[in-house]
Amino acid sequence: MATATLSHRAPDPADPFASSGLERALGHPAAYALTALILLTLFGWTFFTHPQRVAPTKDPAYYTWRTEALITEKPATLLSITGPFSVFSGGYRVSSAVLGGYLRRIAGVSQLKVTVFLVVGLPVLIALLLGGFALRQRGDPLIFHVVALGAGSLLLTPPFVGYLDNVLCLFFLAAALWFITPAGSSWPARVALGLFLLASGFTHPTTLAIFCFALAGMALVRWSLTRFDLREAIRSDGPVLAIAFAAAVVTYVAWKVGIWGRSASLSEAALAPPYGSGFFRDRMTQWLGAMHPLLNGPLFLAGVAGLIAAGKRAARDDLARVAIVWLAPLVGLFGFLASLTYPYYRFFNTTLAWILLVGLGAYFAIRFFLARAARGGLSRFAALGAVAVLAIIIVNFADGLGASGWNNPAAGWLSTSEKRDLDALRSYLSNLGQRDRPVVFVVDNKPPAPFQIYGYTKLTGNTSRYGLPEGQIDRGYLYLGSLRQLLHSRPTLTGDPTYDRLSKGFLADARRGIAASGQKPIVVLDSAFNASGANSGALLGKLSTKDIVRTLGARPPTLNADLVRVNQGAAVGASGPIASLPVQRAPAHASPWHALLVPLGLLVLLIPGLLAASWFVPGVSFAEMLGLVPALSMAFLALIGIVALAIVRSPFSSPLAWVCVGLAVVTGALLRVRSWNSLPRGRFTYGSDVS
């Protein structure tokens, strides 16, 4: 079998730094492990010191309930939770939920910790993958450390904080970079590339589509520099483009056919908020400011200059082609120049090229300064230059951790008061034993700007599902407005177009759900979701039953429902015309022994990638395995889980999760055996054919 293999470039013997003790130290496995540990500490320390805190920003609320729905409901149920205007839809963006299911079922990670593991682990692994990719291209140990830390420091900027599906998709694509050129002549590389692209299609198909266009651009660049030799282009890039096309087609068919029993439109992959161009421009300006362009801009330019300095050879170099051509998606930032209205800023998280170039710029600068110092020229200046570059990376980390609220325990998606209330509500509803009853959360707020009510309502709808027990997550609904209007089956109209449209839409959605269930709904009024607006104030105080009924008006309510007030960790049912419901204490915390089983479960999940790595990448080194092994395991597990759920059409239970892990381990073991019978171990050259 012909196999394209991978290589480190030999260091330049004329370079004094290349034979220095520093390079040997940086190339030791302990040094690579230390860089990985530094990244893990920077991203994860706050969760060690504050074990009760949840993931930062607000979007993890969405991924939390989707994971819980997948492991407790039929998979089609997850897809059916869309809400009005599809505000809660996600289609077959299910990789994060499936991987979360493994964390819940195999590693025993608690409900609130699933997103913690993902938001901490993914940026660390992306940084290691980019460092490993650069290492395989240049063979210089320094490039691994600097690129991993330099690129990793920008993963704390707004494009990557909270957007879990985008970051997971970029993680798969960062692994796919390793196999673009080898896929021209290697079947293992082709399988790996297809594996990661297909996993991307079930994670964020919009980002996959953009990446496929970037692959076409990379092929065009190489074709133009071979004097438009079509035969050479087909030989080198034809398999890559065919794999990309196949991944896109399979993604489209899977969504439209509905492999889990319900078809989904690709429009559900990306839902733009109903804001104007001005909002999107302002948000993009904020994101740009958070990236410190005055500090990182020179490093970015240094990265570009260092890559193109090789002239025509740069176009044949994977590192240069990927880093420069993959910048193309950033053209979407300038849509406002054509009077288009969409979230311009979101194109920052469709590519990793710009953070890779900053990391490469830091490497080229430090490499230059160290080489000057090794030759004895201006050693003090060189040392200061290298320190200045490292200082920029430190500033990126420090500012990113602060600006994102990463280290602020109170800046997570679930506040202490919300958790206390929703824990009480979940216990309350569990005690009823009536899973088919719809639960309608009444919410209202006065955000700083009227149009921001959309974001508040969507966030509340995601967060409130944490309070729904197993089997009832799909029974959650929302009503925006006053309790009085809901119980009289009317929308709350304020004169603000966005507010009124949302109130009408959520009321219609709740009505459909109530009618379909045929059950008497439970209306929940939680103080955490009504800090201001029509339901704040005395209604949430210690009122008597008569006072509560009086607020509903002279006419009796037209909506026959049970009312539950939740305030300060207590769920209380109102008596009289609205039924009284029982109360139960919140469940106790997990046993301390539970924490000892989580690392063991995580190690089990890494076994497939550990076994298969040597087949996909002959002679893979320790440094390269740091990012590649988790990437292979997660891609295997995600796709096997998605297929298994398509077959069984049942919740992602513990037995099913273990069966999927077993299949992944067997696959990895077979590939491991296959690698023993293939090429001799060692370092080989990109794109070469070996019989």
Side-chain angles (χ1 to χ4, degrees):
M1 178 183 67
T3 305
T5 51
L6 312 170
S7 72
H8 288 303
R9 294 184 178 180
D12 182 2
D15 186 350
F17 174 73
S19 58
S20 68
L22 177 59
E23 185 186 31
R24 289 192 295 272
L26 291 176
H28 194 277
Y32 295 126
L34 180 60
T35 293
L37 182 61
I38 290 172
L39 287 166
L40 183 60
T41 300
L42 288 169
F43 282 93
W45 184 251
T46 181
F47 301 100
F48 288 105
T49 56
H50 299 89
Q52 299 303 318
R53 70 161 300 182
V54 298
T57 72
K58 301 303 181 181
D59 282 359
Y62 173 76
Y63 303 102
T64 299
W65 72 254
R66 282 175 68 83
T67 297
E68 293 306 300
L70 186 68
I71 67 176
T72 60
E73 308 279 356
K74 293 181 179 180
T77 303
L78 171 65
L79 304 177
S80 68
I81 304 174
T82 59
F85 319 115
S86 299
V87 293
F88 306 126
S89 65
Y92 280 94
R93 282 172 45 181
V94 295
S95 293
S96 57
V98 172
L99 292 172
Y102 286 111
L103 291 175
R104 295 281 279 126
R105 296 307 197 190
I106 305 300
V109 175
S110 64
Q111 179 179 356
L112 294 180
K113 294 301 181 183
V114 167
T115 50
V116 169
F117 274 85
L118 292 175
V119 301
V120 170
L122 288 175
V124 172
L125 293 173
I126 287 173
L128 295 175
L129 282 168
L130 293 179
F133 175 63
L135 176 64
R136 291 196 73 80
Q137 298 295 310
R138 290 294 185 269
D140 183 356
L142 178 65
I143 200 171
F144 175 91
H145 303 285
V146 177
V147 168
L149 293 171
S153 71
L154 291 174
L155 290 170
L156 285 164
T157 52
F160 307 107
V161 178
Y163 298 101
L164 187 55
D165 274 351
N166 293 82
V167 176
L168 179 58
C169 187
L170 290 173
F171 164 68
F172 287 135
L173 296 181
L177 300 179
W178 292 46
F179 303 98
I180 294 174
T181 291
S185 55
S186 164
W187 276 106
R190 292 166 185 168
V191 172
L193 182 61
L195 183 76
F196 289 122
L197 294 186
L198 190 56
S200 300
F202 287 102
T203 307
H204 204 274
T206 305
T207 303
L208 170 63
I210 292 172
F211 184 73
C212 290
F213 281 112
L215 289 176
M218 296 175 201
L220 286 174
V221 167
R222 178 148 52 188
W223 182 43
S224 66
L225 293 172
T226 58
R227 298 182 179 180
F228 303 101
D229 185 338
L230 184 59
R231 181 176 298 179
E232 172 64 19
I234 294 175
R235 188 189 71 82
S236 300
D237 294 305
V240 175
L241 298 181
I243 292 167
F245 179 75
V249 170
V250 171
T251 298
Y252 176 80
V253 171
W255 280 58
K256 297 301 292 184
V257 170
I259 58 173
W260 285 0
R262 186 180 187 274
S263 64
S265 170
L266 285 171
S267 63
E268 295 183 27
L271 182 66
Y275 301 153
S277 178
F279 173 87
F280 296 135
R281 287 198 306 271
D282 292 343
R283 177 64 63 86
M284 184 168 65
T285 301
Q286 293 173 7
W287 280 25
L288 283 168
M291 297 171 193
H292 292 298
L294 294 180
L295 293 177
N296 293 299
L299 294 181
F300 174 86
L301 295 175
V304 174
L307 290 175
I308 66 176
K312 289 185 177 181
R313 286 189 295 111
R316 298 179 179 272
D317 178 63
D318 268 9
L319 193 57
R321 285 199 308 145
V322 166
I324 294 176
V325 177
W326 203 13
L327 288 174
L330 297 184
V331 173
L333 299 174
F334 303 100
F336 63 91
L337 297 177
S339 300
L340 301 175
T341 300
Y342 58 84
Y344 318 115
Y345 53 91
R346 291 298 299 272
F347 281 85
F348 277 117
N349 54 24
T350 62
T351 175
L352 293 170
W354 60 279
I355 70 170
L356 174 59
L357 282 166
V358 170
L360 289 171
Y363 162 73
F364 289 136
I366 292 177
R367 194 71 169 73
F368 170 78
F369 291 130
L370 290 179
R372 292 292 298 270
R375 293 190 178 97
L378 300 175
S379 58
R380 182 177 300 178
F381 167 77
L384 289 175
V387 169
V389 174
L390 293 176
I392 293 175
I393 295 176
I394 293 172
V395 168
N396 286 340
F397 273 115
D399 188 71
L401 290 169
S404 65
W406 196 273
N407 286 339
N408 180 5
W413 65 270
L414 187 68
S415 68
T416 301
S417 60
E418 290 171 342
K419 182 179 184 302
R420 184 175 61 242
D421 285 359
L422 293 176
D423 279 339
L425 177 63
R426 187 191 303 108
S427 176
Y428 194 106
L429 296 173
S430 297
N431 192 46
L432 293 177
Q434 301 171 355
R435 296 185 178 182
D436 290 335
R437 295 187 65 180
V439 179
V440 183
F441 291 86
V442 183
V443 304
D444 198 21
N445 194 21
K446 292 182 178 179
F451 62 81
Q452 291 181 3
I453 192 64
Y454 172 86
Y456 170 79
T457 306
K458 183 176 181 178
L459 169 63
T460 304
N462 287 321
T463 305
S464 63
R465 292 186 193 275
Y466 172 71
L468 300 177
E470 178 180 329
Q472 209 164 352
I473 296 176
D474 62 323
R475 298 298 184 181
Y477 299 92
L478 212 65
Y479 174 80
L480 176 62
S482 72
L483 173 65
R484 178 185 303 180
Q485 294 294 79
L486 169 63
L487 294 179
H488 286 300
S489 299
R490 297 190 299 242
T492 299
L493 304 180
T494 64
D496 176 74
T498 302
Y499 187 108
D500 295 352
R501 182 169 176 260
L502 289 172
S503 185
K504 293 176 182 178
F506 278 103
L507 175 60
D509 184 58
R511 281 175 171 170
R512 286 191 295 269
I514 293 170
S517 70
Q519 301 288 322
K520 186 179 181 181
I522 299 171
V523 173
V524 177
L525 190 61
D526 188 343
S527 60
F529 302 139
N530 292 274
S532 63
N535 303 313
S536 63
L539 183 61
L540 295 171
K542 297 180 180 179
L543 295 180
S544 65
T545 300
K546 291 182 179 179
D547 292 328
I548 295 174
V549 174
R550 190 180 301 119
T551 65
L552 303 180
R555 293 188 305 157
T558 59
L559 179 64
N560 183 22
D562 292 326
L563 173 64
V564 179
R565 291 188 301 152
V566 187
N567 191 24
Q568 298 182 350
V572 181
S575 60
I578 301 172
S580 177
L581 301 177
V583 181
Q584 180 179 323
R585 291 185 178 181
H589 293 294
S591 166
W593 291 103
H594 173 77
L596 300 177
L597 299 177
V598 172
L600 181 60
L602 294 176
L603 290 175
V604 169
L605 295 177
L606 290 176
I607 291 175
L610 186 63
L611 292 172
S614 61
W615 185 73
F616 288 111
V617 182
V620 61
S621 69
F622 175 79
E624 295 155 354
M625 290 175 68
L626 290 173
L628 186 63
V629 166
L632 288 170
S633 285
M634 292 170 70
F636 272 132
L637 291 170
L639 292 177
I640 289 175
I642 290 169
V643 172
L645 288 169
I647 295 172
V648 301
R649 304 282 178 92
S650 64
F652 198 51
S653 61
S654 293
L656 180 58
W658 278 107
V659 168
C660 292
V661 170
L663 291 173
V665 170
V666 169
T667 302
L670 292 174
L671 295 178
R672 178 78 174 196
V673 172
R674 180 79 173 174
S675 69
W676 291 341
N677 299 324
S678 59
L679 296 172
R681 297 181 183 181
R683 294 295 180 190
F684 304 99
T685 305
Y686 250 131
S688 64
D689 286 341
V690 182
S691 299

